[in-house]
């Protein structure tokens, strides 16, 4: 595959290989994680898919002869006409492109985003089938090569800089990797620090991805595509706070707002690698490096604990209960108290070698 091996010896990956074998066995059985609990009214939870829209969800009717519906009806027709032209000419546009075709009429970008989501849901097709793309903000690095739709050959092998996540994930072809795992990093700052520490090469073969916070559609599509093709273990590295857990849940189980496209976006096989709330005490991270939970944090944590998929994640629940009881949260950067390169030199290698994920 022409990837330069610089990583640890084969014995290092024993736990990862066993985990992958377990994932493949589960796929062959057609199983997932045991589900339970009650679902939100607009979506249901399926262990092998994540949150998805229920068949009997509330419908909104828009009438062309109703004064209240005139504006939204006009918006839908206008964007539908643009979609028709894109499909007919086999060209693509971003949501931002569509907004700037008539920014005064649309008012703001959110209006365009919501109408496009409504059309995608109404027609029951993914957004890319409408020939509308999202602007990517995510980055990828590591042992991965692919060819973009226009024939551009991309090599993501780690260097000082990463590769931007493509805007047309569906058009990628000839994907090649020998990666043992894929690490999703919540924050760009942490991702860049791992690049600076040469983490990808030291842990090669592997892949790193960041959505720079809440992931955009293309980053989620890329993670899903890599899982569907290669079935390699996927882990998340997020802050030990409710916001980080929320981002991890989006990758793993999806969101209610995009539940109509759950089959194309979610990867329930994702595991939580760190930072675990239990790690804070285990590693003796000092209290001055921690941050008190705000009222908003506590509300978010309570909300997550009530979600249907948490009932089938007892280890996740235990970690969140530790956070709730301590009333403290921690950023990944708090590990720097132990040493500046503790994350890349000790924490992550030990977690990967000894199976420290949940």
């Amino acid at each position: 595959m022409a990837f330069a091996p610089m990583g640890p010896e084969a014995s290092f990956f024993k736990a990862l290989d066993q985990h992958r074998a377990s994932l493949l066995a589960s796929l062959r059985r057609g199983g997932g994680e045991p589900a339970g609990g009650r679902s939100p009214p607009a979506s249901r939870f399926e262990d092998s898919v994540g949150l998805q829209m229920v068949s009997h969800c509330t419908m909104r009717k828009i009438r062309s002869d109703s004064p209240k519906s005139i504006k939204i009806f006009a918006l839908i027709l206008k964007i539908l006409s643009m979609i028709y032209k894109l499909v007919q000419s086999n060209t693509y546009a971003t949501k931002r492109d569509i907004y700037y075709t008539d920014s005064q009429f649309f008012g703001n970008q959110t209006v365009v985003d919501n109408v496009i989501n409504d059309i995608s849901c109404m027609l029951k097709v993914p957004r890319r089938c409408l020939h509308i793309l999202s602007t990517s903000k995510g980055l990828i690095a590591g042992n991965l090569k692919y060819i973009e739709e226009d024939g551009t050959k991309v090599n993501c092998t780690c260097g000082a800089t990463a590769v931007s996540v493509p805007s047309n994930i569906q058009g990628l072809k000839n994907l090649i990797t020998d990666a043992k795992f894929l690490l999703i990093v919540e924050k760009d700052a942490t991702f860049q620090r791992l690049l600076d520490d040469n983490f990808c090469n030291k842990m090669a073969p592997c892949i790193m991805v960041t959505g720079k916070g809440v992931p955009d559609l293309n980053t989620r599509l890329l993670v899903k595509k890599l899982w569907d093709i290669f079935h390699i273990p996927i882990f998340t590295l997020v802050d030990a706070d409710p916001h980080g857990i929320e981002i991890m849940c989006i990758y793993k189980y999806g969101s209610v707002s995009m539940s109509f496209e759950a089959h194309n976006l979610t990867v329930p096989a994702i595991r939580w690698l760190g930072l675990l709330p239990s790690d804070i005490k285990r590693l003796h991270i000092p209290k001055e490096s921690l941050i008190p939970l705000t009222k908003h944090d506590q509300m978010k944590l309570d909300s997550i604990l009530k979600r249907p998929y948490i009932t089938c994640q007892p280890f996740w629940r235990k970690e969140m209960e530790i956070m709730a009881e301590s009333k403290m949260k921690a950023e990944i950067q708090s590990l720097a108290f132990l040493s500046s390169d503790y994350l890349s030199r000790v924490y992550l290698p030990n977690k990967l070698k000894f199976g420290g994920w949940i």
Side-chain angles (χ1 to χ4, degrees):
M1 290 187 185
F3 292 116
M6 293 179 60
E9 296 180 357
S11 59
F12 176 91
F13 298 109
K14 183 177 179 181
L16 284 166
D17 291 340
Q18 290 174 344
H19 178 50
R20 184 168 187 261
S22 175
L23 292 173
L24 292 173
S26 179
L27 284 171
R28 285 193 291 269
R29 292 194 301 269
E33 298 171 353
R38 298 181 62 186
S39 299
S43 63
R44 63 187 176 91
F45 170 68
E46 184 178 313
D47 59 318
S48 61
V49 178
L51 288 172
Q52 52 185 321
M53 190 170 64
V54 296
S55 57
H56 55 280
C57 62
T58 303
M59 302 293 288
R60 181 169 55 129
K61 292 184 178 181
I62 299 172
R63 295 167 51 113
S64 59
D65 59 350
S66 169
K68 293 182 179 180
S69 299
I70 288 176
K71 177 67 174 179
I72 186 65
F73 189 76
L75 286 166
I76 291 174
L77 283 182
K78 184 173 182 66
I79 293 180
L80 276 173
S81 69
M82 297 174 74
I83 290 170
Y84 177 78
K85 292 175 183 177
L86 289 171
V87 173
Q88 284 291 95
S89 61
N90 195 29
T91 56
Y92 291 83
T94 66
K95 293 185 295 181
R96 201 69 177 158
D97 293 334
I98 289 176
Y99 168 68
Y100 278 117
T101 59
D102 198 338
S103 58
Q104 288 189 336
F105 176 72
F106 292 124
N108 59 68
Q109 183 68 56
T110 303
V111 170
V112 173
D113 296 350
N114 290 339
V115 171
I116 290 171
N117 284 342
D118 285 344
I119 292 172
S120 180
C121 185
M122 176 177 66
L123 299 179
K124 297 181 179 179
V125 296
R127 190 188 304 166
R128 58 191 175 278
C129 292
L130 305 176
H131 283 231
I132 296 176
L133 306 174
S134 299
T135 302
S136 296
K137 65 171 183 172
L139 298 171
I140 184 166
N143 295 61
L144 177 68
K145 297 177 181 179
Y146 55 82
I147 299 176
E148 295 187 342
E149 189 176 33
D150 63 359
T152 302
K153 295 181 179 180
V154 179
N155 186 346
C156 302
T157 302
C158 265
T161 58
V163 175
S164 295
V165 170
S167 59
N168 188 355
I169 303 300
Q170 188 183 30
L172 300 184
K173 55 188 177 182
N174 293 5
L175 286 86
I176 301 172
T177 186
D178 58 349
K180 290 286 189 178
F181 65 92
L182 188 160
L183 180 65
I184 298 171
V185 183
E186 175 192 351
K187 297 190 296 190
D188 184 38
T190 306
F191 182 87
Q192 296 299 334
R193 179 54 199 260
L194 290 173
L195 282 182
D196 292 342
D197 288 349
N198 205 22
F199 176 79
C200 275
N201 287 329
K202 290 176 181 176
M203 291 292 106
C206 68
I207 299 171
M208 283 201 317
V209 170
T210 182
K212 298 184 179 180
V214 177
D216 59 280
L217 183 67
N218 290 324
T219 303
R220 293 175 63 189
L221 285 168
L222 178 62
V223 171
K224 172 67 171 176
K225 191 179 189 77
L226 291 174
W227 165 251
D228 285 344
I229 295 174
F230 301 110
H231 298 306
I232 57 174
I234 302 178
F235 305 108
T236 56
L237 177 64
V238 300
D239 286 338
D241 66 12
H243 183 70
I245 295 171
E246 176 76 273
I247 288 172
M248 176 173 59
C249 289
I250 291 173
Y251 281 107
K252 184 176 176 75
Y253 293 120
S255 60
V256 172
S257 62
M258 294 293 290
S259 57
F260 62 90
E261 208 177 334
H263 284 82
N264 301 309
L265 295 173
T266 60
V267 185
I270 286 173
R271 297 293 184 266
W272 187 1
L273 188 66
L275 179 67
L276 302 180
S278 60
D279 290 336
I280 297 170
K281 183 177 180 180
R282 181 177 63 85
L283 298 173
H284 304 289
I285 297 174
K287 194 169 184 178
E288 51 266 31
S289 297
L290 307 181
I291 306 168
L293 290 177
T294 65
K295 186 175 181 180
H296 177 74
D297 288 332
Q298 292 173 339
M299 291 174 62
K300 169 68 73 176
L301 190 58
D302 290 340
S303 171
I304 296 173
L305 282 165
K306 293 175 183 176
R307 294 180 187 175
Y309 44 75
I310 297 301
T311 60
C312 63
Q313 291 289 350
F315 295 112
W316 282 29
R317 173 176 286 278
K318 184 177 180 181
E319 293 293 331
M320 284 184 271
E321 288 172 348
I322 290 172
M323 187 189 301
E325 185 178 348
S326 69
K327 294 183 170 56
M328 303 295 283
K329 59 184 179 180
E331 296 184 337
I332 298 166
Q333 286 84 345
S334 64
L335 294 175
F337 167 82
L338 301 168
S339 73
S340 61
D341 62 348
Y342 188 84
L343 175 66
S344 61
R345 181 177 57 85
V346 180
Y347 183 80
L348 289 175
N350 282 345
K351 285 266 185 173
L352 294 165
K353 182 176 181 178
F354 298 110
W357 53 78
I358 58 175

